Amino acid sequence: MLGLEFKGKDESTRAVELKQRLQKEKILIILDDIWKLVCLEEVGIPSKDDQKGCKIVLASRNEDLLRKDMGARVCFPLQHLPKEEAWRLFKKTAGDSVEGDKLRPIAIEVVNECEGLPIAIVTIANALKDESVAEWENALEELRSAAPTNISGVDDRVYGCLKWSYNHLKGDEVKSLFLLCGWLSYGDISMHRLLQYAMGLGLFDHKSLEQARKKLVTLLRILKASSLLLDGEGHRDDFEEEASRLLFMDADNRSVRMHDVVRDVARNIASKDPHRFVVREDVEEWSETDGSKYISLNCKDVHELPHRLVGPKLQFFLLQNGPSLKIPHKFFEGVNLLKVLDLSEMHFTTLPSTLHSLPNLRALRLDRCKLGDIALIGELKKLQVLSMVGSDIQQLPSEMGQLTNLRLLDLNDCKQLEVIPRNILSSLSRLECLCMKWSFTQWAAEGVSDGESNACLSELNICRHVGNKL
């Protein structure tokens, strides 16, 4: 939009270039949904003392953050909607049926319970659209009796409305997907990633990859129709057509996102039994009796992992921001129920030796990793999803031919991959999707019998959905 093409390669140089460009004319910059202190200089935005015609609008739920930390000169609290505006928004969302003689008095009471909060109004209106009068009466009663909560930054009325909407989602699959999105949500979540996780967790068992993809699209539509999920950046109106490409795992496939208030509510629900989704910033929070099923560990400020991963009930482990961390060799002992493991953006000379002690692992993500010897992968007999997108892998180990349950192999953007030993791909008898965009090109000629040669294209005949990704 600024017509600026960066010449610098590092962030600090680009920040200087952006700052110089922003100072050339009067520009309004809007930073929306701020959660923590943002250093404007680091991202190339002129500071409040050096703005030269540049105006900045900051939006946040935390007034102290804006006033004290960010140094905002003037703060404008956004008031709740007046009753008339709240009713117009509710009617626009729920439809003209709310004007019916029987429904209107109940609908007005429901709107009053939302206390002028737009996110509560829209969520409840979508959930009750086209429902019976009895359902409306039940919703009103439940909203009135909702217990207060102590979630920081979330109004009790908003929590009650969102929790009610979650409770009335039809089916465990869509509820599980909602909680998974809330647990993962910081910005956009790619549908590619969601499908891999869902397959690993067994949300779409007994379905082909094509059927699982369609089911995911359907469930996401339900969540978006309920205002519990939003379209991600770069959304296009032809969602169904775009989603049909999901099966081939384009690096630029569509994404979804979650409003931060909805995310906070989802995480509150997910943190309790029977779900036990947990997001942690500190390894010291682990205990020997930890009953969590899903753990996301942010290692930004973690320098050393514990000797062992504690989690007798653990099914999903996501390690984030830990490229320099070393995983102890016995780290995965005692987590036999683990189904999904995401170690993306890490450095491995060899994989942790106890990885072979995960008999139920179904999905392994090593995206953008620096990888050395990964022969140990061959021990993961139940593995269905293996993703190494953007990794520096140079050779696939012959042991990968033992992964006879593998259904999805994603090697997109593996630009250094030069060796795929012959007969590995043809051994993957259940493989439904092989992704190799911007990747391996050293295919051997047909009929060459040299045992050291690379795989040949005829091996791909076993794949049902290789498509146009070669």
Side-chain angles (χ1 to χ4, degrees):
M1 294 173 67
L2 294 171
L4 174 63
E5 183 175 344
F6 287 120
K7 296 179 180 178
K9 294 184 177 180
D10 60 273
E11 288 187 7
S12 59
T13 304
R14 291 185 172 196
V16 172
E17 293 178 52
L18 179 57
K19 178 181 176 180
Q20 292 172 346
R21 174 63 185 87
L22 290 173
Q23 291 176 326
K24 288 183 178 180
E25 58 185 294
K26 291 183 178 180
I27 294 176
L28 173 65
I29 299 173
I30 302 174
L31 300 180
D32 187 27
D33 197 17
I34 297 174
W35 305 335
K36 59 184 179 181
L37 177 65
V38 178
C39 180
L40 300 180
E41 290 285 342
E42 286 184 4
V43 293
I45 298 176
S47 69
K48 62 183 180 181
D49 299 320
D50 185 26
Q51 289 182 8
K52 293 184 180 179
C54 186
K55 297 293 184 181
I56 304 174
V57 174
L58 310 172
S60 175
R61 284 189 285 145
N62 187 336
E63 185 177 347
D64 286 342
L65 172 65
L66 298 182
R67 195 181 294 277
K68 297 178 181 178
D69 298 339
M70 299 295 297
R73 293 172 178 172
V74 183
C75 288
F76 301 91
L78 295 180
Q79 304 299 327
H80 295 179
L81 296 180
K83 283 189 176 182
E84 289 185 1
E85 288 187 30
W87 175 252
R88 282 199 295 269
L89 176 60
F90 189 84
K91 179 182 173 182
K92 178 182 178 181
T93 307
D96 292 336
S97 62
V98 296
E99 292 286 8
D101 293 339
K102 292 184 178 180
L103 197 52
R104 181 181 169 85
I106 305 169
I108 290 174
E109 290 299 317
V110 169
V111 175
N112 290 341
E113 288 299 314
C114 297
E115 294 189 348
L117 295 161
I119 191 171
I121 293 169
V122 171
T123 302
I124 287 294
N126 272 315
L128 288 173
K129 186 187 301 183
D130 300 325
E131 293 288 355
S132 66
V133 174
E135 188 68 29
W136 281 76
E137 291 174 335
N138 180 62
L140 178 59
E141 183 61 31
E142 290 188 25
L143 290 174
R144 284 173 170 170
S145 60
T149 181
N150 295 317
I151 305 179
S152 176
V154 179
D155 186 280
D156 284 348
R157 293 295 182 183
V158 171
Y159 181 88
C161 291
L162 295 176
K163 178 70 181 298
W164 183 90
S165 186
Y166 164 78
N167 287 339
H168 285 74
L169 290 171
K170 294 177 173 62
D172 291 337
E173 288 179 328
V174 69
K175 287 183 177 180
S176 296
L177 186 61
F178 170 74
L179 297 180
L180 180 61
C181 288
W183 182 61
L184 296 170
S185 177
Y186 275 115
D188 286 14
I189 315 166
S190 78
M191 292 168 61
H192 172 183
R193 188 178 171 202
L194 276 177
L195 180 61
Q196 292 182 353
Y197 288 158
M199 289 177 62
L201 292 170
L203 296 185
F204 305 136
D205 268 355
H206 312 300
K207 288 181 170 61
S208 68
L209 196 57
E210 171 75 13
Q211 291 169 335
R213 191 270 310 166
K214 290 179 179 177
K215 186 66 175 180
L216 177 64
V217 170
T218 299
L219 296 179
L220 292 176
R221 279 192 175 280
I222 292 171
L223 292 175
K224 288 195 288 184
S226 303
S227 296
L228 294 174
L229 207 58
L230 304 169
D231 291 308
E233 293 293 330
H235 167 70
R236 285 169 45 175
D237 290 333
D238 54 342
F239 177 74
E240 189 66 47
E241 176 186 342
E242 196 65 25
S244 68
R245 301 191 301 115
L246 173 62
L247 185 57
F248 300 107
M249 307 306 168
D250 262 347
D252 60 349
N253 67 72
R254 300 305 92 185
S255 60
V256 293
R257 61 188 178 90
M258 188 174 278
H259 190 287
D260 59 317
V261 175
V262 180
R263 182 202 65 230
D264 290 348
V265 172
R267 289 191 171 183
N268 179 267
I269 297 170
S271 66
K272 302 171 182 176
D273 286 329
H275 317 293
R276 298 303 302 271
F277 288 74
V278 177
V279 178
R280 290 187 169 142
E281 308 285 338
D282 189 349
V283 295
E284 299 298 328
E285 298 175 14
W286 276 328
S287 68
E288 290 295 330
T289 58
D290 198 309
S292 301
K293 293 183 180 179
Y294 304 76
I295 293 179
S296 172
L297 177 62
N298 189 333
C299 295
K300 185 175 182 180
D301 298 316
V302 176
H303 304 292
E304 186 176 352
L305 290 173
H307 182 61
R308 289 177 58 195
L309 174 60
V310 177
K313 298 182 179 180
L314 191 63
Q315 296 183 25
F316 193 138
F317 184 65
L318 170 61
L319 194 61
Q320 300 184 86
N321 299 317
S324 60
L325 278 177
K326 292 188 181 300
I327 297 181
H329 285 296
K330 295 186 177 181
F331 189 69
F332 293 110
E333 278 188 356
V335 286
N336 295 340
L337 299 181
L338 195 67
K339 294 180 179 179
V340 178
L341 178 60
D342 194 331
L343 301 176
S344 296
E345 299 183 1
M346 296 196 67
H347 301 171
F348 295 105
T349 304
T350 59
L351 295 176
S353 58
T354 49
L355 201 64
H356 77 279
S357 65
L358 302 176
N360 294 297
L361 193 68
R362 295 163 51 126
L364 175 63
R365 283 172 51 93
L366 299 171
D367 290 1
R368 299 174 299 284
C369 283
K370 293 187 179 297
L371 298 175
D373 181 7
I374 62 168
L376 196 61
I377 283 179
E379 300 286 332
L380 305 174
K381 306 301 186 191
K382 290 190 177 180
L383 202 65
Q384 295 188 23
V385 175
L386 176 58
S387 179
M388 294 187 280
V389 173
S391 74
D392 69 349
I393 185 78
Q394 298 179 26
Q395 175 174 345
L396 297 187
S398 58
E399 288 82 357
M400 275 186 59
Q402 302 172 34
L403 302 179
T404 53
N405 284 304
L406 197 67
R407 299 169 62 193
L408 190 159
L409 176 58
D410 196 342
L411 299 172
N412 276 342
D413 204 27
C414 292
K415 296 183 174 68
Q416 298 183 47
L417 181 58
E418 295 183 349
V419 179
I420 299 180
R422 179 158 293 195
N423 297 324
I424 284 184
L425 297 179
S426 58
S427 299
L428 307 178
S429 55
R430 293 192 62 197
L431 195 65
E432 297 179 54
C433 184
L434 173 63
C435 308
M436 301 184 71
K437 189 174 184 179
W438 301 307
S439 186
F440 179 77
T441 59
Q442 307 298 316
W443 299 99
E446 299 292 337
V448 177
S449 59
D450 182 1
E452 299 298 320
S453 66
N454 267 330
C456 55
L457 287 170
S458 61
E459 291 190 49
L460 302 181
N461 291 332
I462 57 99
C463 299
R464 304 179 202 170
H465 299 294
V466 175
N468 60 352
K469 293 301 167 189
L470 298 178

